[in-house]
Amino acid sequence: MLTCTGCGATKAEPDGTPTDHFPSEHCGQCPPWRCNQCGDPCSATNPCGCWVTFEGMAFADIKAHLAAAGFDLAIPT
């Protein structure tokens, strides 16, 4: 398994997340760090106010957030 580049923790087995294939900068075992954007404390389990979580959000609202962030949401034809 890949090792967290923030704290060196290694996953015992794959869990179906992207970190099965790509190392993460931070994981749930990392101590809190200062957010580069707002300066507030941040952690993988308690993100700072800069983070927008899409959990429970309507799909149209998620698309609006991504479009506002500059992602091209056009479907190729």
Side-chain angles (χ1 to χ4, degrees), residues 47-71 73:
C48 68
C50 290
W51 287 88
V52 175
T53 59
F54 297 140
E55 186 176 347
M57 190 180 286
F59 184 64
D61 293 335
I62 294 170
K63 285 179 62 176
H65 274 282
L66 294 174
F71 287 91
L73 302 175

Side-chain angles (χ1 to χ4, degrees), residues 6 9 11 15 17 19-23 29 34 36 39 51 53 55 58 68 72 74 76:
K11 293 188 335 182
D15 59 8
T17 63
T19 57
D20 289 346
H21 305 285
F22 304 99
Q29 296 180 40
R34 283 262 166 236
N36 293 337
W51 287 88
T53 59
E55 186 176 347
D72 180 9

Side-chain angles (χ1 to χ4, degrees), residues 21-34:
H21 305 285
F22 304 99
S24 65
E25 285 187 40
H26 300 288
C27 71
Q29 296 180 40
C30 285
W33 61 90
R34 283 262 166 236

